[in-house]
């Protein structure tokens, strides 16, 4: 063990505060990118008073799927409003934050090496769980608190830049969608009707997620809205990416331009009609997402089939309107794509900062 390393169990402790007074019914889960998210579990009729109540500054982790996902879903809760998590989760806190900073610890949890070590400690069950004792035996560097805060501030500066770029993209996309509604969607009688199957090429990925967990140079998109990295790519184009299956029937959708690969149940959709742009297809599908919930196939796992997708109606606008829409939205999305590329570079920088944590 290096001189500034210590076992994690000396610095964290389990807490078990239950929602006995029904303070909240907001149930959260943790995704494999280590962020809290609305739970996809069906809690209708469930006694939520047995759920664990999490407040700002506390951690939660799901110890049950580490072997399957090769990651420990763990997150630091940073909201003022309390929420609840599954009774099966470990909930814990830092014993003394003058020695170990919570944000610094969360940065350590984000390291790929941390997940690799957790995976090595998993048990022999189908999903591969990890015990609290195993987590407590993990080692981490604990430099002086001033050094920890310096590292945290550097990481936060990158994170805030990413958030800013995402917000800009959200605003630009909203502008482009308003233009789509005004020029095409609300004036469909001026054009001719077609279908998604007639005016686009629809492909799917060939890889499963296990093929992309290496830290490669190209984005790999999955149905759970997570982005991995891979060293191979099957696509080099602008396309609309639609997740084909999701347990909650919420289907992630995005438009991307560049080299990438996708999970085998993610659709890659591109227009083959010069009067219908990929941006138009993106907004067509975006506005159909709520309807997808009602028509998806499957029982436990919901999924979208070609039979569902291909009949979706698409307006082919008159040439002058289509050309004007394409020119306007191409300029908007050029900035969006530039921001997406900057976000990718910033995330790579985040990984470099995380890698520095293990240096003595």
């Amino acid at each position: 063990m290096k001189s500034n390393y210590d076992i994690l169990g000396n610095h964290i402790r389990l807490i078990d505060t239950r929602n006995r007074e029904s303070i909240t019914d907001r149930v959260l889960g943790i995704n494999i990118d280590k962020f809290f998210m609305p739970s996809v579990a069906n809690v209708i009729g469930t006694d939520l008073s047995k759920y664990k109540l999490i407040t700002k500054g506390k951690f939660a982790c799901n110890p049950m799927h580490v072997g399957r996902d090769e990651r420990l879903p763990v997150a630091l809760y940073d909201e003022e409003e309390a929420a609840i998590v599954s009774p099966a989760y470990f909930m814990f806190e830092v014993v003394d934050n003058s020695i170990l900073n919570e944000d610094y610890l969360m940065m350590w949890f984000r390291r790929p090496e941390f997940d690799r070590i957790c995976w090595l400690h998993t048990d022999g069950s189908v999903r591969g769980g990890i015990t609290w004792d195993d987590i407590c035996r993990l080692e981490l560097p604990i430099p002086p608190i001033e050094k920890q805060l310096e590292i945290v501030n550097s990481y936060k500066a990158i994170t805030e830049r990413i958030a800013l770029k995402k917000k800009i993209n959200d605003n630009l996309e909203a502008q482009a969608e308003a233009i789509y509604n005004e020029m095409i969607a609300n004036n469909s009688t001026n054009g001719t009707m077609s279908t998604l199957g007639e005016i686009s090429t629809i492909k799917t990925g060939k890889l499963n997620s296990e093929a992309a967990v290496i830290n490669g140079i190209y984005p790999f998109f999955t149905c759970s809205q997570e982005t991995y990295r891979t060293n191979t790519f099957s696509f080099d184009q602008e396309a609309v990416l639609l997740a084909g299956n999701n347990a909650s029937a919420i289907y992630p959708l995005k438009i991307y331009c560049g080299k990438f690969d996708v999970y085998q149940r993610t659709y890659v959709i591109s227009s083959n009609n010069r009067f219908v742009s990929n941006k138009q297809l993106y907004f067509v599908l975006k506005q159909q997402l709520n309807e997808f919930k009602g028509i998806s196939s499957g029982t436990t796992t919901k999924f979208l089939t070609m039979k569902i997708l291909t009949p979706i109606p698409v307006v082919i606008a008159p040439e002058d309107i289509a050309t004007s829409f394409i020119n306007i939205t191409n300029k908007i999305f050029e900035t969006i794509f530039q921001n997406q590329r900057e976000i990718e570079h910033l995330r790579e920088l985040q990984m470099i900062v995380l890698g520095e944590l293990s240096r003595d």
Side-chain angles (χ1 to χ4, degrees):
M1 190 189 319
K2 295 182 179 180
S3 60
N4 66 344
Y5 273 62
D6 198 0
I7 60 172
L8 185 56
N10 289 338
H11 300 276
I12 61 173
R13 61 188 168 211
L14 277 173
I15 51 178
D16 189 2
T17 307
R18 302 287 171 143
N19 189 37
R20 292 189 176 91
E21 298 181 5
S22 300
I23 293 174
T24 181
D25 60 357
R26 190 163 70 106
V27 184
L28 299 180
I30 304 171
N31 63 27
I32 60 175
D33 269 355
K34 309 195 186 222
F35 290 100
F36 285 101
M37 64 177 186
S39 175
V40 298
N42 183 358
V43 295
I44 297 175
T46 301
D47 182 2
L48 297 181
S49 68
K50 296 180 180 179
Y51 275 56
K52 294 181 178 179
L53 185 70
I54 191 165
T55 54
K56 187 174 183 178
K58 305 297 189 293
F59 292 84
C61 75
N62 179 355
M64 297 174 289
H65 303 156
V66 181
R68 182 193 68 186
D69 297 332
E70 299 184 8
R71 296 188 186 188
L72 176 65
V74 56
L76 172 62
Y77 192 70
D78 60 2
E79 297 184 33
E80 297 295 335
E81 180 186 357
I84 52 178
V85 297
S86 167
Y89 282 14
F90 295 143
M91 192 166 67
F92 59 95
E93 63 183 359
V94 170
V95 174
D96 186 347
N97 58 18
S98 68
I99 297 175
L100 178 61
N101 178 266
E102 288 93 348
D103 292 304
Y104 174 85
L105 178 58
M106 189 62 230
M107 288 178 62
W108 180 258
F109 289 152
R110 293 191 187 283
R111 298 176 67 251
E113 180 65 12
F114 171 79
D115 286 319
R116 189 187 73 82
I117 294 171
C118 287
W119 178 76
L120 292 173
H121 282 84
T122 55
D123 57 34
S125 64
V126 174
R127 293 175 175 174
I130 189 171
T131 68
W132 176 250
D133 287 341
D134 282 331
I135 293 175
C136 287
R137 282 193 287 266
L138 299 176
E139 301 170 357
L140 78 159
I142 305 180
I145 193 67
E146 295 80 12
K147 180 63 175 178
Q148 293 180 41
L149 294 176
E150 179 184 328
I151 295 170
V152 166
N153 289 335
S154 296
Y155 189 83
K156 280 187 174 180
I158 301 171
T159 302
E160 289 170 0
R161 179 69 176 176
I162 291 174
L164 174 62
K165 288 296 179 179
K166 286 183 175 179
K167 184 176 181 179
I168 291 172
N169 276 2
D170 289 343
N171 291 336
L172 289 171
E173 183 179 311
Q175 293 176 27
E177 185 169 9
I179 293 168
Y180 162 73
N181 288 332
E182 180 180 351
M183 296 183 69
I184 298 178
N186 297 338
N187 292 288
S188 59
T189 55
N190 292 331
T192 58
M193 295 303 300
S194 186
T195 65
L196 186 67
E198 291 172 342
I199 54 85
S200 71
T201 301
I202 304 176
K203 299 180 180 179
T204 56
K206 298 178 181 178
L207 301 174
N208 56 33
S209 58
E210 286 75 15
V213 295
I214 56 175
N215 295 317
I217 58 176
Y218 306 113
F220 180 95
F221 300 102
T222 74
C223 290
S224 58
Q225 210 171 3
E226 314 297 349
T227 304
Y228 295 92
R229 309 295 294 184
T230 179
N231 281 326
T232 64
F233 65 91
S234 300
F235 303 93
D236 183 6
Q237 64 183 92
E238 178 188 294
V240 180
L241 311 180
L242 172 62
N245 74 297
N246 193 282
S248 61
I250 299 173
Y251 302 100
L253 176 77
K254 73 179 302 166
I255 184 169
Y256 186 82
C257 184
K259 296 181 175 69
F260 63 93
D261 223 321
V262 296
Y263 175 63
Q264 57 196 4
R265 286 195 176 181
T266 296
Y267 292 106
V268 179
I269 305 168
S270 56
S271 173
N272 57 27
N273 186 299
R274 66 191 183 97
F275 297 128
V276 178
S277 68
N278 291 325
K279 287 85 172 179
Q280 179 178 341
L281 294 184
Y282 173 73
F283 292 123
V284 168
L285 290 167
K286 183 179 179 181
Q287 295 179 4
Q288 285 280 335
L289 286 179
N290 287 333
E291 295 185 30
F292 286 165
K293 291 182 182 181
I295 61 176
S296 57
S297 301
T299 52
T300 303
T301 301
K302 304 293 183 181
F303 59 92
L304 296 171
T305 63
M306 293 289 285
K307 185 177 180 180
I308 294 171
L309 290 176
T310 53
I312 291 174
V314 178
V315 177
I316 301 178
E319 182 175 356
D320 58 336
I321 294 176
T323 301
S324 178
F325 173 78
I326 290 170
N327 290 337
I328 294 171
T329 53
N330 277 351
K331 292 179 180 178
I332 294 174
F333 273 87
E334 181 179 350
T335 302
I336 290 175
F337 294 145
Q338 288 175 348
N339 288 337
Q340 285 180 346
R341 287 190 288 270
E342 181 175 345
I343 288 171
E344 290 176 13
H345 292 317
L346 289 168
R347 284 176 173 159
E348 292 170 4
L349 186 56
Q350 280 184 319
M351 298 307 296
I352 292 173
V353 174
L354 294 180
E356 293 293 319
L357 295 184
S358 59
R359 298 199 176 187
D360 198 357

